[in-house]
């Protein structure tokens, strides 16, 4: 859990924070976007990579938990896509980690690293199969 300093929670770049922020800035060149992970003063625009500084990890996880609970309690046709890939707690855990990471809460989501390594392994295996 992040520690709270005054009215702000501890922030840090995660595995996807910087990349997501750069993509936003590139896609929105007319927007003056800060690089700070800490939300500005009242009235200043708020960006997704600053949300952890005002929400903290527990609130982000509570939002994700509520969303997936509604999915599980909702329409079967919608729930089916989620049930096929993970159970309720698994979705809550991975998505909470992703959003904490993306919203400036530090390195919480390890899926980005795993995907990168799997892509490299896939390429190596493919090249090996072509050589054989």
């Amino acid at each position: 859990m992040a520690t709270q300093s005054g009215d702000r929670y501890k922030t840090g770049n995660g595995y996807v924070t910087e990349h997501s922020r750069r993509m936003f800035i590139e896609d929105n060149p007319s927007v003056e976007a800060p690089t700070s992970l800490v939300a500005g003063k009242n009235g200043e625009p708020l960006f997704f990579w600053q949300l952890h500084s005002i929400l903290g990890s527990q609130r982000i996880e509570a939002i994700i938990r509520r969303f997936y609970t509604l999915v599980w309690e909702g329409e079967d046709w919608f729930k089916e896509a989620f049930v096929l890939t993970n159970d309720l707690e698994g979705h809550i855990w991975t998505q909470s980690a992703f959003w904490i990471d993306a919203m400036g809460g530090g390195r919480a989501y390890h899926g980005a690293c795993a995907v990168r390594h799997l892509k490299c392994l896939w390429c190596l295996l493919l090249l090996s199969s072509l050589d054989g």
Side-chain angles (χ1 to χ4, degrees), residues 77-104:
W77 64 267
F78 187 66
K79 175 183 170 182
E80 186 177 318
F82 296 91
V83 172
L84 292 173
T85 58
N86 212 335
D87 64 11
L88 175 61
E89 288 302 315
H91 279 293
I92 292 168
W93 185 82
T94 56
Q95 288 301 299
S96 294
F98 175 80
W99 287 110
I100 289 166
D101 190 300
M103 293 177 178

Side-chain angles (χ1 to χ4, degrees), residues 1 13-14 20 38 42 47 68-69 74 97 107-108 113-114 120 122 131:
M1 182 178 115
N13 277 315
S20 300
V38 177
N42 288 342
F47 295 86
Y68 280 102
T69 299
R107 292 182 170 189
C113 291
C120 292
W122 185 89
D131 287 339

Side-chain angles (χ1 to χ4, degrees), residues 1-5 8-12 38 52-53 56-57 104-106:
M1 182 178 115
T3 57
Q4 192 172 2
S5 173
R8 306 289 183 182
Y9 289 88
K10 183 179 174 186
T11 61
V38 177
H52 190 275
S53 73
S57 298

